[in-house]
Coordinates of all heavy atoms in Angstrom, one line a residue:
M1 N 209.3 5.0 -171.1 CA 208.9 4.6 -172.5 C 207.4 5.0 -172.7 O 206.6 4.8 -171.8 CB 209.1 3.1 -172.6 CG 208.6 2.6 -173.9 SD 208.6 0.9 -174.5 CE 209.5 -0.1 -173.6
A2 N 207.1 5.5 -173.8 CA 205.8 5.9 -174.1 C 204.9 4.7 -174.5 O 205.4 3.7 -175.0 CB 205.8 6.9 -175.3
K3 N 203.6 4.9 -174.2 CA 202.7 3.8 -174.5 C 202.4 3.8 -176.0 O 202.4 4.9 -176.6 CB 201.4 4.1 -173.7 CG 201.4 3.8 -172.3 CD 200.0 3.9 -171.7 CE 200.0 3.8 -170.2 NZ 198.6 3.9 -169.7
N4 N 202.0 2.7 -176.4 CA 201.5 2.5 -177.8 C 200.2 3.3 -177.8 O 199.4 3.2 -176.9 CB 201.3 1.0 -178.0 CG 200.7 0.7 -179.4 OD1 199.8 1.5 -179.9 ND2 201.1 -0.3 -180.0
P5 N 200.0 4.1 -178.9 CA 198.7 4.9 -179.0 C 197.4 4.0 -178.8 O 196.4 4.5 -178.3 CB 198.8 5.5 -180.3 CG 200.2 5.6 -180.7 CD 200.8 4.4 -180.0
N6 N 197.5 2.8 -179.3 CA 196.3 1.9 -179.1 C 196.0 1.6 -177.7 O 194.8 1.4 -177.3 CB 196.5 0.6 -179.9 CG 196.2 0.8 -181.4 OD1 195.4 1.7 -181.8 ND2 196.9 0.1 -182.2
V7 N 197.0 1.6 -176.8 CA 196.8 1.4 -175.4 C 195.9 2.5 -174.8 O 194.9 2.2 -174.1 CB 198.1 1.2 -174.6 CG1 197.9 1.2 -173.1 CG2 198.9 0.0 -175.1
Y8 N 196.2 3.7 -175.2 CA 195.4 4.8 -174.7 C 194.0 4.7 -175.2 O 193.0 4.9 -174.5 CB 195.9 6.2 -175.3 CG 197.3 6.6 -174.6 CD1 198.4 6.9 -175.4 CD2 197.4 6.8 -173.3 CE1 199.6 7.3 -174.9 CE2 198.6 7.2 -172.7 CZ 199.7 7.4 -173.5 OH 200.8 7.9 -173.0
K9 N 193.8 4.3 -176.5 CA 192.5 4.2 -177.1 C 191.7 3.1 -176.3 O 190.5 3.3 -175.9 CB 192.6 3.8 -178.5 CG 191.2 3.5 -179.2 CD 191.4 3.0 -180.6 CE 191.8 1.6 -180.7 NZ 191.8 1.0 -182.0
F10 N 192.3 2.0 -176.0 CA 191.6 0.9 -175.3 C 191.3 1.3 -173.9 O 190.2 0.9 -173.4 CB 192.4 -0.4 -175.4 CG 192.5 -1.0 -176.8 CD1 193.7 -1.3 -177.3 CD2 191.4 -1.2 -177.6 CE1 193.8 -1.8 -178.6 CE2 191.4 -1.7 -178.9 CZ 192.7 -2.0 -179.4
E11 N 192.2 2.0 -173.3 CA 191.9 2.5 -171.9 C 190.7 3.5 -171.9 O 189.9 3.4 -171.0 CB 193.1 3.2 -171.3 CG 194.2 2.2 -170.9 CD 195.5 2.8 -170.4 OE1 195.6 4.1 -170.5 OE2 196.4 2.1 -170.0
I12 N 190.6 4.3 -172.9 CA 189.5 5.3 -173.0 C 188.2 4.5 -173.2 O 187.2 4.8 -172.6 CB 189.8 6.3 -174.1 CG1 191.0 7.2 -173.7 CG2 188.5 7.1 -174.4 CD1 191.5 8.0 -174.8
I13 N 188.2 3.6 -174.1 CA 187.0 2.8 -174.4 C 186.6 2.0 -173.2 O 185.4 2.1 -172.8 CB 187.3 1.8 -175.6 CG1 187.4 2.5 -176.9 CG2 186.1 0.8 -175.7 CD1 187.9 1.7 -178.1
E14 N 187.5 1.4 -172.5 CA 187.2 0.7 -171.2 C 186.6 1.6 -170.2 O 185.5 1.3 -169.6 CB 188.4 0.1 -170.7 CG 188.2 -0.7 -169.4 CD 189.4 -1.4 -168.9 OE1 190.2 -1.9 -169.7 OE2 189.7 -1.3 -167.7
R15 N 187.1 2.8 -170.0 CA 186.6 3.8 -169.0 C 185.2 4.3 -169.4 O 184.4 4.4 -168.5 CB 187.6 4.9 -168.9 CG 187.3 5.9 -167.8 CD 187.3 5.2 -166.5 NE 186.8 6.0 -165.4 CZ 187.5 6.7 -164.5 NH1 188.8 6.5 -164.6 NH2 187.0 7.4 -163.6
I16 N 185.0 4.5 -170.7 CA 183.7 5.0 -171.1 C 182.7 3.9 -170.8 O 181.6 4.2 -170.3 CB 183.7 5.3 -172.6 CG1 184.5 6.7 -172.8 CG2 182.3 5.4 -173.2 CD1 184.8 7.0 -174.3
I17 N 183.0 2.7 -171.2 CA 182.0 1.6 -171.0 C 181.7 1.4 -169.5 O 180.6 1.1 -169.1 CB 182.5 0.3 -171.6 CG1 182.5 0.5 -173.2 CG2 181.7 -0.9 -171.2 CD1 183.2 -0.6 -173.9
K18 N 182.8 1.5 -168.6 CA 182.6 1.4 -167.2 C 181.7 2.5 -166.6 O 180.9 2.2 -165.7 CB 184.0 1.4 -166.5 CG 184.7 0.1 -166.5 CD 186.1 0.3 -166.0 CE 186.3 0.7 -164.6 NZ 187.7 0.6 -164.1
E19 N 181.8 3.7 -167.1 CA 181.2 4.8 -166.6 C 179.7 5.0 -167.0 O 178.9 5.7 -166.3 CB 181.9 6.1 -167.0 CG 183.3 6.3 -166.4 CD 183.3 6.3 -164.9 OE1 182.3 7.0 -164.3 OE2 184.2 5.8 -164.3
V20 N 179.3 4.3 -168.0 CA 177.9 4.5 -168.5 C 177.1 3.2 -168.2 O 177.5 2.1 -168.5 CB 177.9 4.7 -170.1 CG1 176.5 4.9 -170.6 CG2 178.7 5.9 -170.4
D21 N 175.9 3.5 -167.6 CA 174.9 2.4 -167.4 C 174.0 2.5 -168.7 O 173.2 3.4 -168.8 CB 174.2 2.6 -166.1 CG 173.2 1.5 -165.8 OD1 173.5 0.4 -166.3 OD2 172.3 1.7 -165.1
F22 N 174.2 1.6 -169.6 CA 173.6 1.8 -170.9 C 172.7 0.6 -171.3 O 172.9 -0.6 -170.8 CB 174.6 2.0 -172.0 CG 175.6 0.8 -172.2 CD1 175.4 -0.2 -173.0 CD2 176.8 0.8 -171.4 CE1 176.3 -1.2 -173.2 CE2 177.7 -0.2 -171.6 CZ 177.4 -1.2 -172.5
T23 N 171.7 0.8 -172.1 CA 170.9 -0.2 -172.7 C 171.0 -0.1 -174.2 O 170.5 -1.1 -174.9 CB 169.4 -0.2 -172.2 OG1 168.9 1.1 -172.5 CG2 169.3 -0.4 -170.7
T24 N 171.5 1.0 -174.8 CA 171.6 1.2 -176.2 C 173.0 1.7 -176.5 O 173.7 2.2 -175.7 CB 170.6 2.2 -176.8 OG1 170.9 3.5 -176.3 CG2 169.2 1.9 -176.4
K25 N 173.4 1.4 -177.8 CA 174.7 1.9 -178.2 C 174.7 3.4 -178.3 O 175.8 4.0 -178.0 CB 175.0 1.3 -179.6 CG 176.3 1.7 -180.2 CD 176.6 1.0 -181.5 CE 177.9 1.5 -182.1 NZ 178.3 0.8 -183.3
E26 N 173.6 4.0 -178.6 CA 173.5 5.5 -178.7 C 173.9 6.1 -177.3 O 174.5 7.2 -177.3 CB 172.1 5.9 -179.1 CG 171.9 5.6 -180.6 CD 171.7 4.2 -180.9 OE1 171.2 3.4 -180.1 OE2 172.0 3.8 -182.1
E27 N 173.5 5.5 -176.2 CA 173.9 6.1 -174.9 C 175.4 6.1 -174.7 O 175.9 7.0 -174.2 CB 173.2 5.2 -173.8 CG 171.7 5.4 -173.8 CD 171.0 4.4 -172.9 OE1 171.4 3.2 -172.9 OE2 170.2 4.8 -172.1
V28 N 176.0 5.0 -175.2 CA 177.5 5.0 -175.1 C 178.1 6.0 -176.0 O 179.0 6.7 -175.6 CB 178.0 3.5 -175.4 CG1 179.5 3.5 -175.3 CG2 177.4 2.5 -174.5
L29 N 177.6 6.1 -177.2 CA 178.1 7.1 -178.2 C 177.9 8.5 -177.7 O 178.8 9.3 -177.9 CB 177.4 6.9 -179.6 CG 178.0 5.9 -180.5 CD1 177.1 5.7 -181.7 CD2 179.4 6.2 -180.8
D30 N 176.8 8.8 -177.1 CA 176.6 10.2 -176.6 C 177.6 10.5 -175.5 O 178.2 11.6 -175.6 CB 175.2 10.3 -176.0 CG 174.1 10.3 -177.0 OD1 174.4 10.5 -178.2 OD2 172.9 10.1 -176.7
F31 N 177.9 9.6 -174.6 CA 178.8 9.9 -173.6 C 180.2 9.9 -174.2 O 181.0 10.8 -173.8 CB 178.8 8.8 -172.5 CG 179.7 9.0 -171.3 CD1 179.4 10.0 -170.4 CD2 180.8 8.2 -171.2 CE1 180.3 10.3 -169.4 CE2 181.7 8.5 -170.1 CZ 181.4 9.5 -169.2
A32 N 180.6 9.0 -175.1 CA 181.9 9.0 -175.7 C 182.1 10.3 -176.5 O 183.2 10.9 -176.5 CB 182.0 7.8 -176.7
K33 N 181.1 10.9 -177.1 CA 181.2 12.1 -177.9 C 181.5 13.3 -176.9 O 182.4 14.1 -177.2 CB 180.0 12.4 -178.7 CG 180.0 13.7 -179.5 CD 178.8 13.9 -180.3 CE 178.8 15.0 -181.3 NZ 179.2 16.3 -180.7
K34 N 180.8 13.3 -175.8 CA 181.0 14.4 -174.8 C 182.5 14.3 -174.3 O 183.1 15.3 -174.2 CB 180.0 14.2 -173.6 CG 178.6 14.6 -174.0 CD 177.7 14.3 -172.9 CE 176.2 14.5 -173.3 NZ 175.3 14.1 -172.3
V35 N 182.9 13.1 -173.9 CA 184.3 12.9 -173.4 C 185.3 13.4 -174.4 O 186.3 14.1 -174.1 CB 184.5 11.5 -172.9 CG1 185.9 11.2 -172.6 CG2 183.6 11.2 -171.8
R36 N 185.1 12.9 -175.7 CA 186.0 13.3 -176.8 C 186.1 14.8 -177.0 O 187.1 15.4 -177.1 CB 185.6 12.6 -178.1 CG 186.4 12.9 -179.3 CD 185.8 12.7 -180.6 NE 184.6 13.6 -180.7 CZ 183.7 13.5 -181.7 NH1 183.8 12.5 -182.5 NH2 182.7 14.4 -181.7
D37 N 184.9 15.4 -177.0 CA 184.8 16.8 -177.2 C 185.5 17.6 -176.1 O 186.2 18.6 -176.4 CB 183.4 17.3 -177.4 CG 182.8 16.8 -178.7 OD1 183.5 16.3 -179.6 OD2 181.5 16.9 -178.8
I38 N 185.4 17.2 -174.9 CA 186.1 17.9 -173.8 C 187.6 17.7 -173.9 O 188.3 18.7 -173.8 CB 185.6 17.3 -172.4 CG1 184.1 17.7 -172.2 CG2 186.5 17.7 -171.3 CD1 183.4 17.0 -171.0
A39 N 188.0 16.5 -174.3 CA 189.5 16.3 -174.4 C 190.0 17.2 -175.6 O 191.1 17.7 -175.5 CB 189.8 14.8 -174.7
L40 N 189.3 17.3 -176.6 CA 189.7 18.1 -177.8 C 189.7 19.6 -177.5 O 190.5 20.3 -178.1 CB 188.9 17.8 -179.0 CG 189.0 16.3 -179.5 CD1 188.1 16.2 -180.7 CD2 190.4 15.9 -179.8
E41 N 188.9 20.0 -176.6 CA 188.9 21.5 -176.2 C 190.0 21.9 -175.4 O 190.4 23.1 -175.4 CB 187.6 21.8 -175.4 CG 186.3 21.7 -176.2 CD 185.1 21.9 -175.4 OE1 185.2 22.0 -174.2 OE2 184.0 21.8 -175.9
K42 N 190.6 21.0 -174.6 CA 191.7 21.3 -173.7 C 193.0 21.5 -174.5 O 193.5 20.6 -175.1 CB 191.9 20.2 -172.7 CG 190.7 19.8 -171.9 CD 190.4 20.9 -170.9 CE 189.2 20.5 -170.0 NZ 188.8 21.6 -169.1
P43 N 193.6 22.7 -174.3 CA 194.8 23.0 -175.1 C 196.0 22.3 -174.6 O 197.0 22.1 -175.3 CB 195.0 24.5 -174.9 CG 194.2 24.8 -173.7 CD 193.1 23.9 -173.6
N44 N 196.0 21.8 -173.4 CA 197.2 21.2 -172.8 C 197.2 19.6 -173.0 O 198.1 19.0 -172.5 CB 197.3 21.5 -171.3 CG 196.1 21.1 -170.5 OD1 195.0 20.9 -171.0 ND2 196.3 20.9 -169.2
V45 N 196.2 19.1 -173.7 CA 196.2 17.7 -174.0 C 197.1 17.3 -175.1 O 197.0 17.9 -176.2 CB 194.8 17.2 -174.2 CG1 194.7 15.7 -174.6 CG2 193.8 17.5 -173.1
R46 N 198.0 16.4 -174.9 CA 199.0 16.0 -176.0 C 198.2 15.5 -177.2 O 197.2 14.9 -177.1 CB 199.9 15.0 -175.4 CG 200.8 15.5 -174.3 CD 201.9 14.5 -174.0 NE 201.6 13.1 -174.0 CZ 201.5 12.3 -173.0 NH1 201.6 12.7 -171.8 NH2 201.2 11.0 -173.2
E47 N 198.9 15.6 -178.3 CA 198.3 15.2 -179.6 C 198.0 13.7 -179.6 O 196.9 13.3 -180.1 CB 199.2 15.6 -180.8 CG 198.5 15.4 -182.1 CD 197.3 16.3 -182.4 OE1 197.3 17.4 -181.8 OE2 196.4 15.9 -183.1
E48 N 198.8 12.9 -179.1 CA 198.6 11.4 -179.1 C 197.4 11.1 -178.2 O 196.6 10.1 -178.6 CB 199.8 10.7 -178.6 CG 200.2 10.9 -177.2 CD 201.6 10.8 -176.9 OE1 202.4 11.2 -177.7 OE2 202.0 10.4 -175.8
I49 N 197.1 11.8 -177.2 CA 195.9 11.6 -176.4 C 194.7 12.1 -177.1 O 193.7 11.4 -177.1 CB 196.1 12.3 -175.0 CG1 197.3 11.9 -174.3 CG2 194.8 12.1 -174.2 CD1 197.4 10.4 -174.0
R50 N 194.8 13.2 -177.8 CA 193.7 13.7 -178.6 C 193.3 12.7 -179.6 O 192.1 12.4 -179.8 CB 194.0 15.0 -179.3 CG 194.1 16.2 -178.4 CD 194.7 17.4 -179.3 NE 194.9 18.5 -178.5 CZ 194.1 19.5 -178.3 NH1 192.9 19.5 -178.9 NH2 194.4 20.5 -177.5
N51 N 194.3 12.1 -180.3 CA 194.0 11.1 -181.3 C 193.4 9.9 -180.7 O 192.6 9.2 -181.3 CB 195.3 10.8 -182.1 CG 195.7 11.9 -183.0 OD1 194.9 12.7 -183.4 ND2 197.0 12.0 -183.3
A52 N 193.9 9.5 -179.5 CA 193.3 8.3 -178.8 C 191.8 8.5 -178.6 O 191.0 7.6 -178.7 CB 194.1 8.0 -177.5
F53 N 191.4 9.7 -178.1 CA 190.0 10.0 -177.9 C 189.2 9.9 -179.2 O 188.1 9.4 -179.3 CB 189.8 11.4 -177.2 CG 190.0 11.3 -175.7 CD1 191.2 11.6 -175.1 CD2 188.9 10.9 -174.9 CE1 191.3 11.6 -173.8 CE2 189.0 10.9 -173.6 CZ 190.2 11.2 -173.0
K54 N 189.8 10.5 -180.3 CA 189.1 10.4 -181.6 C 189.0 9.0 -182.1 O 187.9 8.6 -182.5 CB 189.9 11.2 -182.6 CG 189.9 12.7 -182.5 CD 190.8 13.3 -183.5 CE 191.2 14.7 -183.2 NZ 192.1 15.3 -184.2
N55 N 190.0 8.2 -181.9 CA 190.0 6.8 -182.4 C 189.1 6.0 -181.5 O 188.5 5.0 -182.0 CB 191.4 6.3 -182.4 CG 192.3 6.9 -183.5 OD1 191.8 7.4 -184.5 ND2 193.6 6.9 -183.3
A56 N 189.0 6.3 -180.2 CA 188.1 5.5 -179.3 C 186.7 5.8 -179.8 O 185.9 4.8 -179.9 CB 188.4 5.9 -177.9
Y57 N 186.4 7.0 -180.0 CA 185.0 7.3 -180.4 C 184.7 6.6 -181.8 O 183.6 6.0 -181.9 CB 184.8 8.8 -180.6 CG 183.4 9.2 -181.1 CD1 182.3 9.2 -180.2 CD2 183.2 9.4 -182.4 CE1 181.1 9.5 -180.6 CE2 181.9 9.7 -182.9 CZ 180.8 9.7 -182.0 OH 179.6 10.0 -182.4
R58 N 185.6 6.7 -182.7 CA 185.4 6.1 -184.0 C 185.2 4.6 -183.9 O 184.4 4.0 -184.5 CB 186.6 6.4 -184.9 CG 186.4 5.9 -186.3 CD 187.6 6.3 -187.3 NE 187.9 7.7 -187.2 CZ 189.0 8.3 -186.7 NH1 190.0 7.5 -186.3 NH2 189.2 9.6 -186.7
E59 N 186.0 3.9 -183.0 CA 185.9 2.5 -182.8 C 184.6 2.1 -182.2 O 183.9 1.2 -182.7 CB 187.0 1.9 -182.0 CG 186.9 0.4 -181.8 CD 188.2 -0.3 -181.7 OE1 189.2 0.3 -182.2 OE2 188.3 -1.4 -181.2
I60 N 184.1 2.9 -181.2 CA 182.8 2.6 -180.6 C 181.7 2.8 -181.7 O 180.8 1.9 -181.8 CB 182.5 3.5 -179.4 CG1 183.5 3.1 -178.3 CG2 181.1 3.4 -179.0 CD1 183.5 4.1 -177.1
D61 N 181.8 3.8 -182.5 CA 180.8 4.1 -183.5 C 180.8 3.1 -184.6 O 179.7 2.6 -185.0 CB 181.0 5.5 -184.0 CG 180.0 6.0 -185.0 OD1 178.8 5.6 -184.9 OD2 180.3 6.8 -185.9
E62 N 182.0 2.8 -185.2 CA 182.0 2.0 -186.4 C 182.3 0.5 -186.2 O 182.0 -0.2 -187.1 CB 183.1 2.6 -187.3 CG 182.8 4.1 -187.7 CD 183.9 4.7 -188.5 OE1 184.9 4.0 -188.8 OE2 183.8 5.9 -188.8
E63 N 183.0 0.2 -185.1 CA 183.4 -1.2 -185.0 C 182.7 -2.1 -184.0 O 182.5 -3.3 -184.2 CB 184.9 -1.3 -184.7 CG 185.8 -0.5 -185.7 CD 185.9 -1.2 -187.0 OE1 185.8 -2.4 -187.1 OE2 186.0 -0.5 -188.0
L64 N 182.3 -1.4 -182.9 CA 181.7 -2.2 -181.8 C 180.1 -2.2 -181.9 O 179.5 -1.2 -182.1 CB 182.1 -1.6 -180.5 CG 183.6 -1.7 -180.2 CD1 183.9 -1.0 -178.9 CD2 184.1 -3.1 -180.1
T65 N 179.6 -3.4 -181.7 CA 178.1 -3.5 -181.6 C 177.7 -3.4 -180.2 O 178.5 -3.4 -179.3 CB 177.7 -4.9 -182.2 OG1 178.2 -5.9 -181.3 CG2 178.2 -5.1 -183.6
L66 N 176.4 -3.2 -180.0 CA 175.8 -3.2 -178.7 C 176.2 -4.5 -177.9 O 176.6 -4.4 -176.7 CB 174.3 -3.0 -178.7 CG 173.6 -3.0 -177.3 CD1 174.1 -1.9 -176.5 CD2 172.1 -2.9 -177.5
A67 N 176.1 -5.6 -178.6 CA 176.5 -6.9 -178.0 C 178.0 -6.8 -177.5 O 178.4 -7.3 -176.4 CB 176.3 -8.0 -178.9
N68 N 178.9 -6.3 -178.4 CA 180.3 -6.2 -178.0 C 180.5 -5.3 -176.8 O 181.2 -5.6 -175.9 CB 181.1 -5.5 -179.2 CG 181.2 -6.3 -180.4 OD1 181.2 -5.7 -181.5 ND2 181.3 -7.6 -180.4
L69 N 179.8 -4.2 -176.8 CA 179.9 -3.2 -175.6 C 179.4 -3.9 -174.3 O 180.1 -3.8 -173.3 CB 179.0 -2.0 -175.9 CG 179.5 -1.1 -177.1 CD1 178.5 -0.1 -177.4 CD2 180.9 -0.4 -176.7
K70 N 178.3 -4.7 -174.4 CA 177.8 -5.4 -173.2 C 178.8 -6.4 -172.8 O 179.0 -6.6 -171.6 CB 176.4 -6.0 -173.5 CG 175.3 -4.9 -173.6 CD 174.0 -5.6 -173.8 CE 172.9 -4.5 -173.8 NZ 171.6 -5.1 -174.0
E71 N 179.4 -7.1 -173.7 CA 180.4 -8.2 -173.4 C 181.6 -7.6 -172.7 O 182.1 -8.1 -171.7 CB 180.7 -9.0 -174.6 CG 181.7 -10.1 -174.3 CD 181.1 -11.2 -173.5 OE1 179.9 -11.4 -173.4 OE2 181.9 -11.9 -172.8
I72 N 182.1 -6.5 -173.2 CA 183.2 -5.8 -172.6 C 182.9 -5.3 -171.2 O 183.7 -5.5 -170.3 CB 183.7 -4.6 -173.5 CG1 184.2 -5.1 -174.9 CG2 184.7 -3.7 -172.8 CD1 184.4 -4.0 -175.9
K73 N 181.7 -4.8 -171.1 CA 181.3 -4.3 -169.7 C 181.2 -5.5 -168.7 O 181.7 -5.4 -167.6 CB 179.9 -3.6 -169.8 CG 179.5 -3.0 -168.4 CD 178.5 -1.9 -168.6 CE 178.3 -1.3 -167.3 NZ 178.6 0.1 -167.3
K74 N 180.7 -6.6 -169.2 CA 180.6 -7.8 -168.4 C 182.0 -8.3 -168.0 O 182.3 -8.6 -166.8 CB 179.9 -8.9 -169.2 CG 179.7 -10.2 -168.4 CD 178.9 -11.2 -169.4 CE 178.9 -12.6 -168.8 NZ 178.3 -13.5 -169.7
I75 N 183.0 -8.3 -168.9 CA 184.3 -8.7 -168.6 C 185.0 -7.7 -167.7 O 185.6 -8.2 -166.7 CB 185.1 -8.8 -169.9 CG1 184.6 -10.0 -170.8 CG2 186.6 -9.0 -169.6 CD1 185.1 -10.0 -172.2
I76 N 184.8 -6.4 -167.9 CA 185.4 -5.4 -167.0 C 184.9 -5.6 -165.6 O 185.6 -5.4 -164.6 CB 185.1 -4.0 -167.6 CG1 185.9 -3.8 -168.9 CG2 185.5 -2.9 -166.5 CD1 185.4 -2.5 -169.6
S77 N 183.6 -5.8 -165.5 CA 182.9 -5.9 -164.2 C 183.3 -7.2 -163.5 O 183.0 -7.4 -162.3 CB 181.4 -5.8 -164.4 OG 181.1 -4.6 -165.0
G78 N 183.9 -8.2 -164.2 CA 184.3 -9.4 -163.6 C 183.1 -10.4 -163.5 O 183.2 -11.4 -162.7
N79 N 182.1 -10.2 -164.2 CA 180.9 -11.1 -164.2 C 181.0 -12.0 -165.4 O 180.1 -12.0 -166.2 CB 179.6 -10.3 -164.3 CG 179.4 -9.4 -163.1 OD1 179.9 -9.7 -162.0 ND2 178.8 -8.3 -163.2
N80 N 182.0 -12.8 -165.5 CA 182.2 -13.7 -166.7 C 181.1 -14.6 -166.7 O 180.7 -15.5 -166.7 CB 183.6 -14.4 -166.6 CG 184.7 -13.4 -166.5 OD1 184.5 -12.1 -166.4 ND2 185.9 -13.9 -166.6

């Protein structure tokens, strides 16, 4: 059974946040843009995955604040 496209998006957002040691939202956006662009360049990446990368970037850019990003990182790291 295929995953819901939002699952891919959330997995991508989580991975981006885990990989970046950030103090500003711009640092997260810069990394997310690089990751998105690499995924979009690869011809063998399925369309639903491409869309997940686009949507993940858009969500980080338009929906998540720096405080949201820090809280997600805290939760992912297990430092509740």
